Amino acid sequence: MPTFRYKARDKYGALFTGTIDTAGRDEVAGQLDNLGYFPVLIEEVKEGIFSPDFFERFQVVHPQDMIVFSRQLATLISAGLPFIASFDALIEQTENKRLRKVITHVRKDVEGGSSLSDALAKHPDIFSNLYINMIRAGEAGGVLDEILERLASLAEHEAETRARIKSATRYPKIVIFSLVAAFIILVTFVIPKFAALYANFKVKLPLPTRILIGINYAVINYWHIGLVSIITVVFLIRWYIRTEKGRVHLDSLKLKLPVFGPIFLKTAMSRFSRVFGTLTRSGLPILQTLEIVSNTVGNIIISRTVDNIRDSVRQGKGIVQPMRVSKVFPPVVIQMVAIGEESGRMEEMLMKVSDYYDTDVDYALRNLSSSIEPILLTVIGGVILFLALAIFLPWWNLINVFKGGGG
């Protein structure tokens, strides 16, 4: 379907520009007229290698874009606006060009008789499985505006968690980067000068110095081989972790890491509880809920346990026993789920579990720097000691040579 670029003015004379995907110029004029705009220019966008459409495919749709989209659509629907009018308003207000184009396609599909969930499902790179299934539940229950608000809240919670993790790991990243940069500068610029000086004397160099000189020699003469080797290793690691076996090993390692392992587990438990509780509140069938939770929990070890829970529920058994057997879920989660299952207040219990782990993760992240300081100090101290020995030990040998020569 061709894309048309337009310029139009509203009743106050303000100029608006944008693009619309439709069959022809008449349809563009009709849509603008429905919005109360007066067309000034309508022209077809010619496709080309470096057309704006080409670059839009690579534009990232950020979580904040999805939060704004969900909240705006919820507000428009709750105000009683029809879908088509709501999407027309969203197309005008959305700043992200890629998302605006997707909304245009969704509008066209809905106008053609498709349900909103089916229209969104055609864009899996933008709308997740969780998002689509919750929209489907909202359509079935007639509470689409409420579902959209919950999706926005869920996305905000995820964004806040990621922001806290980035903030907490900023200090270790800066320290490690500075240490690596200092090592590279020393090996590249300082060590060669010392190596030239030592070469004038027949002195056996200490092992740390010989190691640094060897690293310098390898970097200067074989840097291309090293670069290819690093790229190859990175490529193989990325390929491996995309396989099921690699994901199992990676996610298992994440949970076992010192300091970070408990944070990963608590974050996964919070996500599991919040998504499970949100879907339960939305009225989805339990089997479908567990399937979505399994796909969105973010850790394949926990995901497999959720699949076992789903099989248990399908067989008419409870949720709690598979959680106990897995040894993955902490006792507090199991106890709260057991209480929710017995009392019929599963949604409430799950939300309390999520809030509990959110608080716990927040506390752990605030104390992350102090937790990893001993590790960082040990690494930094070891590297500095090695560099100091490599640089200063030869001076002692040279001093002894000079003394001997003077005697």
Side-chain angles (χ1 to χ4, degrees):
M1 182 171 290
T3 300
F4 291 88
R5 183 185 296 111
Y6 68 85
K7 292 182 180 180
R9 295 186 183 277
D10 63 9
K11 62 182 180 180
Y12 301 106
L15 184 66
F16 293 88
T17 61
T19 58
I20 294 178
D21 292 336
T22 188
R25 287 184 173 83
D26 292 339
E27 285 76 4
V28 177
Q31 289 188 32
L32 294 173
D33 184 61
N34 291 335
L35 292 171
Y37 296 150
F38 303 97
V40 176
L41 172 68
I42 299 175
E43 60 180 3
E44 185 175 353
V45 178
K46 300 297 182 181
E47 296 291 337
I49 297 177
F50 297 107
S51 64
D53 202 35
F54 175 81
F55 294 104
E56 284 176 15
R57 298 172 194 167
F58 301 97
Q59 186 175 8
V60 177
V61 178
H62 297 284
Q64 188 62 35
D65 296 323
M66 296 304 300
I67 292 170
V68 172
F69 166 78
S70 301
R71 290 218 183 277
Q72 287 180 337
L73 184 56
T75 302
L76 293 168
I77 292 174
S78 62
L81 266 71
F83 269 145
I84 302 304
S86 298
F87 281 118
D88 286 336
L90 288 172
I91 291 169
E92 291 300 320
Q93 296 172 14
T94 302
E95 296 181 0
N96 187 293
K97 294 182 179 179
R98 186 183 177 193
L99 181 57
R100 185 193 306 153
K101 193 173 186 67
V102 169
I103 296 171
T104 303
H105 286 298
V106 171
R107 178 197 181 281
K108 178 173 70 69
D109 290 337
V110 171
E111 190 176 25
S114 174
S115 67
L116 177 59
S117 56
D118 289 339
L120 297 178
K122 294 181 179 180
H123 308 278
D125 53 335
I126 303 295
F127 301 100
S128 66
N129 186 38
L130 170 67
Y131 199 102
I132 294 165
N133 279 280
M134 285 192 66
I135 292 295
R136 188 168 285 122
E139 288 174 323
V143 287
L144 189 56
D145 54 341
E146 184 180 341
I147 291 295
L148 285 163
E149 285 289 349
R150 290 177 190 169
L151 282 167
S153 299
L154 197 61
E156 284 175 344
H157 174 261
E158 295 287 332
E160 288 172 6
T161 301
R162 283 193 294 269
R164 289 203 302 267
I165 292 174
K166 285 182 180 179
S167 176
T169 56
R170 188 175 295 122
Y171 166 69
K173 287 176 182 176
I174 292 173
V175 171
I176 293 172
F177 175 80
S178 302
L179 191 63
V180 171
F183 186 82
I184 291 173
I185 291 171
L186 189 66
V187 169
T188 305
F189 300 105
V190 178
I191 291 302
K193 298 184 182 300
F194 279 98
L197 177 63
Y198 298 150
N200 297 325
F201 301 93
K202 295 181 179 179
V203 180
K204 184 178 180 180
L205 296 175
L207 179 61
T209 308
R210 296 202 302 272
I211 291 174
L212 279 184
I213 292 176
I215 293 174
N216 171 259
Y217 179 83
V219 169
I220 291 176
N221 295 280
Y222 303 105
W223 64 269
H224 50 288
I225 298 177
L227 182 62
V228 171
S229 300
I230 292 172
I231 293 174
T232 303
V233 170
V234 170
F235 174 79
L236 290 174
I237 291 174
R238 287 172 65 89
W239 169 81
Y240 180 67
I241 63 178
R242 286 176 182 171
T243 64
E244 186 171 355
K245 187 177 180 181
R247 286 183 59 206
V248 170
H249 286 159
L250 178 63
D251 287 346
S252 178
L253 177 64
K254 282 182 179 179
L255 298 178
K256 295 176 182 176
L257 284 174
V259 181
F260 291 97
I263 295 177
F264 285 132
L265 179 61
K266 291 171 184 176
T267 303
M269 288 296 106
S270 172
R271 184 180 179 87
F272 164 82
S273 304
R274 188 166 294 275
V275 174
F276 195 179
T278 302
L279 292 173
T280 301
R281 181 188 295 172
S282 302
L284 279 180
I286 184 66
L287 291 177
Q288 188 179 356
T289 294
L290 290 170
E291 181 181 4
I292 298 171
V293 172
S294 174
N295 293 331
T296 57
V297 73
N299 186 290
I300 196 169
I301 305 298
I302 301 174
S303 177
R304 287 182 170 181
T305 303
V306 176
D307 288 337
N308 293 335
I309 296 172
R310 187 161 158 259
D311 293 337
S312 175
V313 172
R314 186 184 289 112
Q315 295 168 12
K317 302 176 184 178
I319 297 175
V320 176
Q321 188 58 30
M323 296 177 72
R324 287 200 180 101
V325 173
S326 70
K327 304 296 183 184
V328 173
F329 289 91
V332 64
V333 180
I334 298 172
Q335 291 168 6
M336 295 292 274
V337 169
I339 293 171
E341 196 173 23
E342 292 173 3
S343 63
R345 299 164 59 192
M346 180 72 76
E347 162 202 327
E348 181 182 343
M349 293 297 106
L350 286 167
M351 288 303 180
K352 287 183 178 179
V353 170
S354 181
D355 291 340
Y356 166 78
Y357 276 111
D358 284 344
T359 304
D360 215 11
V361 167
D362 189 44
Y363 176 79
L365 290 174
R366 283 201 305 268
N367 292 277
L368 181 62
S369 296
S370 59
S371 299
I372 64 176
E373 262 181 13
I375 300 174
L376 284 177
L377 290 175
T378 302
V379 173
I380 293 171
V383 172
I384 291 174
L385 177 62
F386 173 77
L387 295 176
L389 291 174
I391 292 173
F392 293 113
L393 275 180
W395 285 104
W396 292 105
N397 292 342
L398 290 177
I399 290 172
N400 291 332
V401 170
F402 293 146
K403 285 182 179 179

